[in-house]
Amino acid sequence: MRALFVSLFGVFALTATVTHIWTVIIAFSEGGFLGGVVTFILPFLSELYWMIEMWDKNDLYSTIALWHLILTIPFGVFGRE
């Protein structure tokens, strides 16, 4: 199991970065300048907030953000050597 997470860590890091950029774009458009800056600085908390905020408005984003938040735990524990 550890080998699987180690081998997929690069893919996860790339998709998590793309998701965070998407979150920052949402924050700037929905929350203004201050919301965008705070979202850029606090990725985990901001993605949790915007996932809940966008739940019925942008289901694709909410689903992807939820999966990234869930997968952060095993990738954080097993992902890097």
Side-chain angles (χ1 to χ4, degrees), residues 46-62:
S46 297
E47 287 178 22
L48 182 63
Y49 172 79
W50 287 108
M51 178 202 62
I52 293 168
E53 190 68 27
M54 293 284 121
W55 192 259
D56 285 331
K57 300 173 191 169
N58 192 342
D59 290 333
L60 178 64
Y61 167 76
S62 297

Side-chain angles (χ1 to χ4, degrees), residues 14-28 36 39-40 43 47 61:
L14 179 67
T15 58
T17 302
V18 170
T19 302
H20 183 61
I21 292 169
W22 191 1
T23 305
V24 171
I25 292 169
I26 288 171
F28 271 109
T39 299
F40 182 74
E47 287 178 22
Y61 167 76

Side-chain angles (χ1 to χ4, degrees), residues 30 42 53 62 66 69 74 77:
E30 297 286 325
L42 301 170
E53 190 68 27
S62 297
L66 178 63
L69 290 171
V77 173

